[in-house]
Amino acid sequence: MKIDFVATERLLLQPLSTTEAERIVAREAGAGDLWGEEYPGDGDVRACTGFLRGVAERGDPGVFRPYAIRLDGVAVGGIGFHGPPDELGVATIGYGLTPGARGNGYASEALRAVLELARKAGAAGVKGDADLDNPASHRVMEAAGMPCVAEDDKLRHFYVAF
């Protein structure tokens, strides 16, 4: 299934194929890959590992996949879904940027775009969480329109319904 790039004001979100995900997991750029310094990060590797496992188990998830966050054509992070929506229609989101790209609003900008993608694809809502000691991630989700809906001894939980 071909998934189109998602453009925001400053970013291009590139849907990852299984071939690209395999290169990210191996941390070995292919010819023509434009990877920024410190890309891929550990979170990108975990996300792509989960994506590849999900494809092997359930098939292609369509839009509910990982995306490279590109700034001026260079991958500076990743954003995407942990798989297709659950039985209630809720998808789970994850994201991360290289240290040099943080603090510029890119994560919130990318998150707003994938939330709209999930809404258009028929998800009932999107959830995410962040460690209590990660206020930057809390701000990202809140800025993208995902309010905090719960907190436990380790995590703050965020959710938006469509």
Side-chain angles (χ1 to χ4, degrees):
M1 169 185 277
K2 175 150 176 30
I3 307 295
D4 291 327
F5 287 82
V6 178
T8 70
E9 184 178 328
R10 302 176 293 171
L11 306 170
L12 190 64
L13 307 182
Q14 173 202 352
L16 295 178
S17 68
T18 55
T19 303
E20 291 159 329
E22 288 168 348
R23 289 198 305 268
I24 289 169
V25 169
R27 295 182 193 255
E28 294 178 5
D33 284 337
L34 297 174
W35 290 1
E37 189 175 331
E38 299 187 59
Y39 181 85
D42 293 341
D44 300 298
V45 172
R46 282 190 305 274
C48 286
T49 299
F51 168 62
L52 292 168
R53 186 174 44 252
V55 168
E57 293 171 359
R58 297 180 301 273
D60 191 296
V63 301
F64 297 100
R65 65 189 325 105
Y67 295 77
I69 300 173
R70 294 192 172 277
L71 177 64
D72 298 324
V74 177
V76 296
I79 190 164
F81 302 94
H82 293 264
D86 63 17
E87 63 280 352
L88 300 175
V90 177
T92 302
I93 194 78
Y95 52 85
L97 292 170
T98 59
R102 295 176 187 156
N104 297 294
Y106 300 140
S108 295
E109 184 174 328
L111 181 53
R112 282 190 293 275
V114 296
L115 290 175
E116 181 61 14
L117 189 64
R119 186 190 67 75
K120 286 181 178 176
V126 174
K127 64 181 178 177
D129 58 52
D131 292 336
L132 292 178
D133 64 353
N134 190 352
S137 192
H138 305 166
R139 287 191 298 274
V140 165
M141 286 186 268
E142 290 167 344
M146 294 178 69
C148 179
V149 295
E151 184 175 311
D152 57 35
D153 59 335
K154 295 181 183 177
L155 300 171
R156 290 189 80 191
H157 303 271
F158 298 81
Y159 178 74
V160 62
F162 303 126

